[in-house]
Amino acid sequence: MTYRVLISDPLSEEGIKPLRETENIEIVKNPGWDETELLENIDQFDALLVRSQTQVTRPLLEKAARLKIVGRAGVGVDNIDLDAATENGIIVVNAPNGNTNSAAEHTVAMIMSLSRNIPQAFHALKQKQWDRKRFVGVELKQKTLGVVGLGRIGAEVAKRAKGQRMNVIAYDPFLTDEKAEQMGIKRGTLEEVLQAGDFITVHTPLLKETRHLINAEAFELMKDGVQIVNCARGGIIDEDALYDAIVSGKVAGAALDVFEQEPFTEHKLLTLPEVVATPHLGASTVEAQEIVAVDVSHDVIRFLEGKAVRHPVNLPSIPSEAMHQIEPYFYLAEKLGTFIIDLANEVISEIRISYSGDLSEIESGPVTRNAVKGILKRYLGSRVNDVNALYLADRKGITVSESKRSARKGFTNLITIEVIGASGSRKVSGTLLNGLGPRLVRVDDYQVDATPEGHMVVIQHIDQPGVIGRMGSAFAEHNINIATMQVDRSDVGGNAIMLLTIDRHLEDKALAEIALLDEIKSVTAIDL
């Protein structure tokens, strides 16, 4: 059988060489087709390769009767309707590793440009100004680089900084002391990294939790004269706060490759001589563009040959009978995962998922992936999905295991998720109840009964008279309404737990004040 592959965006010949060398693949290159032409012809192809120009929409995918796989030569898949692809049984793959080296090199180039004032000096020279004193720089040797986010690119930047004989301190929610020691760097909290860095570079995804992570309060924690680099995602740094920090002298310089709104040509940051900026060039090298095309070509070949792909973004379609049986548990598993990682609030090394009762008979793999997705999404955001959740857990050094028991334990079905970190283990259990839907039924060794949704608070305390009343008053002082409350205890006067649902998010200030109350051991806000 011959497979037809449509390439609808410009890709280098070297990048698609693996496809050309595969005997049963016919390549059609039509980067000039508009939306109408694509719609008219897409049903003739088994695979589609795109970059960012082609919009792979629901109408296009629904018209693609033969299409089995879409390959994105790059990382982002914003131009592909993933839900529509999944619904139509089309797998989507990308090339997440192809730009790692280029992005890391660009980051280091920006650090060096800052340290030696290279762009400013060049600009002055172009203006016929020979001014050596004005552009005296600093050495990187023995300076401290603070790395916020130690994924693929952050880790590569750290390695290169070590080559410049810099001291490196990094924060990442998945970084362990053992891993930091292996890399020859220091592990710190976010605050410790911000306080220690002479240069600070950010390499996190852009999530709700990381938007404006580097804000006015963060700048206050930093050394005077700190230098800031962002080659990751626009929005991680509050650009207005950065402007103010530079004008005040707190920040000596900033190098930016990404921005909240792109194209970025009018912002007041560009008026400052302390700012070095490039137009989102982190992955713009000949080599990176070639590597992503090669990577995605290999994955398309693997899939068409019936082999497992390396970088799936979505799930292939699941047979309707199996889907009908397991789909109701997807939501429950993901919410349990999010709940338990917020409750643990530390780097974890192991995830144990057990299925009891009727669940011991089902195909649990997709349910497990949803649970792991719920855990990892807190830190990795929307790039975690059902397909890549286990792969990303493995990349982060997290062991995932399953167990099944037919014993019902009082419920016809029960999912228990246990996460293990340096401080020990935390557990949560949930079930589906007829007529009530998903329910949280156990937190650690305490029995509860709550719907896993909205804003929740877990309070560990000593079982003493008046605790519940004082707690209610404390929430009232912050104008927070308690919708439901579940209470359980180990024994009279012993350890106890409150599980609250509240009407809005519990802000850090309110949480800290409530945690100071007598008999309170811990307060954890969980947003589901």
Side-chain angles (χ1 to χ4, degrees):
M1 178 179 179
T2 298
Y3 295 106
R4 303 191 76 214
V5 177
L6 172 63
I7 300 174
S8 62
D9 287 333
L11 296 178
S12 72
E13 273 300 316
E14 194 65 28
I16 63 173
K17 187 176 180 181
L19 291 169
R20 291 209 181 276
E21 293 177 345
T22 304
E23 290 184 2
N24 62 336
I25 288 181
E26 175 190 347
I27 296 175
V28 177
K29 295 180 71 173
N30 275 302
W33 275 357
D34 59 22
E35 183 179 355
T36 301
E37 289 171 310
L38 275 172
L39 282 167
E40 290 174 351
N41 293 280
I42 193 63
D43 60 354
Q44 303 173 29
F45 297 95
D46 301 282
L48 171 65
L49 266 65
V50 302
R51 290 182 65 186
S52 58
Q53 294 95 316
T54 298
Q55 297 301 305
V56 186
T57 62
R58 179 176 289 275
L60 183 68
L61 292 167
E62 290 177 345
K63 186 81 183 297
R66 284 177 56 176
L67 198 64
K68 302 170 180 65
I69 183 169
V70 176
R72 163 69 166 98
V75 181
V77 289
D78 296 344
N79 57 317
I80 302 172
D81 190 325
L82 296 179
D83 290 336
T86 301
E87 290 170 20
N88 287 277
I90 300 166
I91 193 165
V92 179
V93 297
N94 67 347
N97 299 321
N99 67 349
T100 299
N101 188 70
S102 291
E105 286 185 354
H106 193 73
T107 302
V108 173
M110 295 290 255
I111 293 171
M112 289 185 168
S113 294
L114 276 180
S115 69
R116 300 305 297 270
N117 301 303
I118 292 171
Q120 297 92 329
F122 173 71
H123 179 73
L125 199 56
K126 292 279 283 185
Q127 303 300 314
K128 304 186 184 303
Q129 299 174 20
W130 185 272
D131 191 348
R132 297 175 64 191
K133 292 182 179 180
R134 180 179 162 197
F135 300 114
V136 173
V138 296
E139 291 186 355
L140 297 182
K141 179 183 175 182
Q142 297 305 314
K143 299 297 188 301
T144 296
L145 176 66
V147 182
V148 179
L150 204 72
R152 291 187 307 271
I153 296 170
E156 287 297 323
V157 170
K159 290 177 186 176
R160 286 159 172 76
K162 292 289 292 180
Q164 294 296 326
R165 290 182 284 180
M166 297 185 79
N167 303 311
V168 179
I169 180 172
Y171 164 75
D172 188 285
F174 295 103
L175 180 62
T176 62
D177 288 329
E178 181 182 12
K179 179 65 175 177
E181 185 176 351
Q182 290 174 356
M183 295 181 65
I185 66 176
K186 183 179 178 182
R187 171 178 170 264
T189 64
L190 176 61
E191 291 75 16
E192 288 169 340
V193 170
L194 297 180
Q195 290 168 348
D198 299 300
F199 293 80
I200 293 173
T201 179
V202 294
H203 297 282
T204 72
L206 181 63
L207 312 171
K208 180 180 70 174
E209 292 80 7
T210 60
R211 179 173 292 279
H212 290 183
L213 180 69
I214 308 301
N215 54 23
E217 290 76 18
F219 288 124
E220 286 300 316
L221 293 174
M222 299 178 191
K223 293 179 177 179
D224 292 341
V226 67
Q227 307 211 54
I228 306 293
V229 179
N230 184 11
C231 295
R233 289 288 184 271
I236 298 171
I237 296 176
D238 182 336
E239 291 165 357
D240 290 334
L242 175 59
Y243 176 88
D244 292 340
I246 294 173
V247 171
S248 72
K250 180 70 176 184
V251 173
L256 308 172
D257 184 51
V258 290
F259 309 92
E260 291 196 56
Q261 298 293 329
E262 296 181 4
F264 183 86
T265 57
E266 302 296 332
H267 197 279
K268 56 189 176 181
L269 275 170
L270 296 180
T271 67
L272 300 177
E274 297 89 350
V275 172
V276 176
T278 50
H280 207 147
L281 298 180
S284 294
T285 63
V286 172
E287 293 83 357
Q289 297 304 315
E290 201 167 279
I291 290 169
V292 294
V294 169
D295 286 353
V296 80
S297 294
H298 279 304
D299 247 359
V300 168
I301 293 167
R302 288 189 191 95
F303 184 78
L304 294 177
E305 291 178 346
K307 301 174 182 176
V309 297
R310 293 178 60 191
H311 302 297
V313 178
N314 71 331
L315 274 175
S317 59
I318 300 171
S320 58
E321 185 177 343
M323 175 64 79
H324 179 74
Q325 185 181 21
I326 65 177
E327 188 174 25
Y329 297 103
F330 290 176
Y331 177 87
L332 172 63
E334 183 175 344
K335 292 300 182 182
L336 291 176
T338 302
F339 183 96
I340 195 62
I341 194 62
D342 279 358
L343 186 64
N345 194 30
E346 69 169 337
V347 176
I348 62 170
S349 59
E350 189 174 353
I351 302 169
R352 298 174 182 171
I353 305 174
S354 64
Y355 299 95
S356 304
D358 294 346
L359 288 175
S360 64
E361 304 296 328
I362 71 166
E363 171 52 55
S364 57
V367 183
T368 292
R369 288 195 290 270
N370 273 276
V372 175
K373 177 176 71 174
I375 292 171
L376 297 184
K377 279 180 76 172
R378 268 297 187 246
Y379 302 110
L380 302 179
S382 59
R383 75 186 184 97
V384 185
N385 59 41
D386 306 48
V387 177
N388 63 16
L390 295 179
Y391 166 77
L392 290 171
D394 182 65
R395 283 286 304 269
K396 298 297 182 183
I398 301 171
T399 302
V400 180
S401 61
E402 285 184 13
S403 62
K404 295 182 179 182
R405 285 172 283 191
S406 58
R408 294 182 179 271
K409 293 186 174 182
F411 298 96
T412 57
N413 59 80
L414 189 72
I415 301 175
T416 299
I417 303 177
E418 180 180 10
V419 296
I420 299 171
S423 301
S425 71
R426 303 302 299 265
K427 289 190 293 187
V428 64
S429 298
T431 187
L432 290 181
L433 295 178
N434 288 335
L436 294 175
R439 307 295 291 183
L440 285 174
V441 297
R442 185 174 288 273
V443 176
D444 292 327
D445 295 322
Y446 301 99
Q447 294 183 6
V448 296
D449 181 17
T451 304
E453 63 183 18
H455 308 293
M456 309 187 83
V457 182
V458 178
I459 301 170
Q460 294 182 280
H461 62 98
I462 303 299
D463 179 41
Q464 293 291 332
V467 173
I468 293 175
R470 288 194 293 276
M471 191 64 56
S473 298
F475 277 85
E477 288 176 9
H478 291 280
N479 197 31
I480 298 174
N481 186 53
I482 298 174
T484 67
M485 174 184 289
Q486 296 284 311
V487 181
D488 193 24
R489 63 186 182 184
S490 58
D491 51 68
V492 177
N495 292 324
I497 191 173
M498 277 186 242
L499 177 61
L500 313 178
T501 57
I502 57 178
D503 289 348
R504 60 182 177 85
H505 172 70
L506 182 62
E507 300 292 343
D508 290 344
K509 181 181 178 182
L511 187 150
E513 290 181 10
I514 293 168
L516 293 175
L517 294 174
D518 292 341
E519 292 92 25
I520 301 303
K521 300 177 72 174
S522 69
V523 181
T524 305
I526 298 174
D527 292 318
L528 299 179

